[in-house]
Amino acid sequence: MSPALAATLARSVHQAARALVGCTLTLDGVGGIVVETEAYAPDDPASHSFPGRTNRNATMFGPPGFLYVYRSYGLHWCANVVCEPEGMGAAVLLRALEPTQGVEEMRRRRRVEDVRLLCAGPGRLTQALGISLEHDGLDLFRTPFELRPPDAAAEIATGTRVGITKAGERPWRYALRGSPYVSRPLRRG
DNA sequence: CACAGGATATACT
DNA sequence: GTATATCCTGTGA
């Protein structure tokens, strides 16, 4: 991984969640620019890691830079980047991408025309990239994944997290300011 | 073994 | 705006 990105991942989930916005993520060459993330800290009631390590969330307690995938509402897959401090269950939820590579492949998988809807939401993003449980525990810095930092620092807008029932007031949602590819407008934060 | 509940997307009113 | 699909995990009997 790039030294700059490694250093930022090592700070905190919040630093990492900011640093990931603007990065380019692909799986088998299909993907785009990360435009929206959410931080899930240790000691965070909304985090899957909060009740402690289990079989499902084991990846969260592993090394940073790996992918944690879980099924949401019995329907969708959600993808998270494991962060420092290692072993504490800190992770960043990937909520939206700006599609830049393999757009036609994503359209086929999602069966929608509008590019803005291809990866706008955690479930949509995983469907477009073809991420599922088989990718849980894989290193994002190794093939078939590619994760590289932006050329210039992204301008970040913050807001409250989405779709959770605990600690929803925490402004731990980070987005690329002004991007039309976010899953929904930011509120507060 | 049974069952509640969840970091959502979509279709429909 | 709200209904609802759909399934796996974690917890407790």
Side-chain angles (χ1 to χ4, degrees):
Chain A
M1 98 174 68
S2 88
L5 195 47
T8 320
L9 285 177
R11 289 259 235 342
S12 75
V13 274
H14 305 289
Q15 298 284 338
R18 285 175 174 273
L20 283 166
V21 173
C23 289
T24 298
L25 172 69
T26 58
L27 167 53
D28 288 324
V30 175
I33 300 166
V34 178
V35 297
E36 186 181 343
T37 62
E38 278 176 5
Y40 287 87
D43 279 5
D44 179 353
S47 174
H48 284 189
S49 64
F50 186 69
R53 179 179 179 139
T54 63
N55 199 42
R56 171 174 67 151
N57 65 21
T59 300
M60 292 184 88
F61 293 86
F66 281 62
L67 189 69
Y68 166 51
V69 180
Y70 68 91
R71 195 184 278 284
S72 169
Y73 292 90
L75 296 172
H76 318 285
W77 299 107
C78 288
N80 302 253
V81 180
V82 178
C83 295
E84 297 274 358
E86 181 170 350
M88 299 296 288
V92 171
L93 173 67
L94 299 172
R95 286 196 53 91
L97 298 186
E98 173 182 341
T100 58
Q101 298 176 61
V103 173
E104 286 312 310
E105 179 64 33
M106 290 192 263
R107 272 205 250 261
R108 275 194 292 277
R109 290 170 177 161
R110 293 265 306 123
R111 298 194 187 141
V112 294
E113 289 299 312
D114 193 337
V115 185
R116 286 170 302 184
L117 297 179
L118 284 180
C119 301
R124 294 166 172 173
L125 182 159
T126 53
Q127 186 181 20
L129 267 64
I131 293 175
S132 67
L133 191 59
E134 65 193 284
H135 299 103
D136 179 49
L138 295 187
D139 188 344
L140 285 166
F141 296 96
R142 300 184 81 87
T143 180
F145 289 99
E146 192 176 336
L147 179 59
R148 53 168 210 278
D151 299 325
E155 192 177 348
I156 307 293
T158 66
T160 52
R161 294 185 291 185
V162 177
I164 54 178
T165 54
K166 301 164 204 154
E169 75 287 352
R170 301 184 189 187
W172 289 353
R173 181 165 168 241
Y174 303 91
L176 186 61
R177 184 175 293 281
S179 172
Y181 299 98
V182 298
S183 63
R184 49 201 339 196
L186 299 187
R187 292 204 320 245
R188 298 193 297 270

